[in-house]
Amino acid sequence: RRVHGEISCDKDFVWPVHCSAIRMTSTIHKIYETLRRLSKSFELNQIHSLSQALASQEFLNLTTLVDSLVPQDLGLVIPDLSCSSPCDPPSVALPITFQYICENSVFSMGIFVLPRYGFIPLHNHPGMAVVSRILYGTAYIKSYDILPPALPDGNVSARLNDHTVISVPTTRILYPWQGNIHSILAETPCAMFDIVLPPYNVQLGRDVTYFLEDVDDEEEDKESDQIHSEQDIFTLVPYEPAEDLVILRGEYIGPVIVDDCI
């Protein structure tokens, strides 16, 4: 199992999968049941069918449920979000944790918990959609739309989709065709609930790639002394993140999801 291509969880660890599950009424169980119905109605591993799923009433039902999520629904305790001294970025990056809730071949759910100044660089979600809900804290999000055609050396031509600060209550949707490459910078300690449709899968061509904005693009912007707009076009260059990007597996203590065979 991989989190943004950076870490591997215990190789011998297998999420329990049973062909019958106890149906429960917590919000996260309702979300799971909606995802289960969505996955039975649409082939989420196929981009055309995924696109249809994202336009369906069932997906709208899903996002409505996600909109109602609060930290207590997932066993999270909100930390102190105030700026205690010192407030400068630490010299060594603090680790980000990811709490797995459930994962199968067509969808996954989990929670990213970021310390203040925790940063996940620009990365893509090939052929995937992501529903994200910020549960507490504040984060700066920057996202890009991928533009055709493909460029040499794995470079990507992209248009700035948005760059904004989000806080509770905010739910965002990342589509295969819109905002598919994004970065996250925690301005305070924050937690983000993610649904990924379908999950990363290297064998099926859904591997994560990290990107940097082309230096020439950045220099041109500085020279023009203009703020980025949604009309700006950038060349994004693949790179391997520094070793100080650490994403560890955290302990999920919310309601347990027993995943059905799909």
Side-chain angles (χ1 to χ4, degrees), residues 3 28 69-71 73-76 96-102 108-114 120 133-136 190-195 247-255:
V3 176
I28 192 63
L69 269 180
V70 295
D73 292 330
L74 300 172
L76 292 174
I96 297 164
T97 60
F98 183 78
Q99 301 177 14
Y100 284 102
I101 298 175
C102 80
S108 67
M109 294 190 289
I111 308 163
F112 281 99
V113 180
L114 292 83
I120 301 177
R133 172 77 170 174
I134 187 163
L135 298 168
Y136 63 74
C190 68
M192 301 187 73
F193 169 76
D194 271 8
I195 297 172
I247 303 178
L248 304 176
R249 193 176 81 192
E251 181 184 7
Y252 171 66
I253 60 173

Side-chain angles (χ1 to χ4, degrees), residues 5 15 24 27 32 53 73 76 84 99 108-109 118-119 124 128 131 165-166 174 206-207 222 227 232 238 249 255:
W15 287 102
M24 307 186 82
T27 302
Y32 169 78
D73 292 330
L76 292 174
S84 58
Q99 301 177 14
S108 67
M109 294 190 289
F119 180 60
N124 66 348
M128 302 153 66
V131 181
V165 175
I166 64 170
L174 175 157
R206 296 194 301 268
D207 197 5
K222 290 177 182 177
I227 298 174
D232 291 333
R249 193 176 81 192

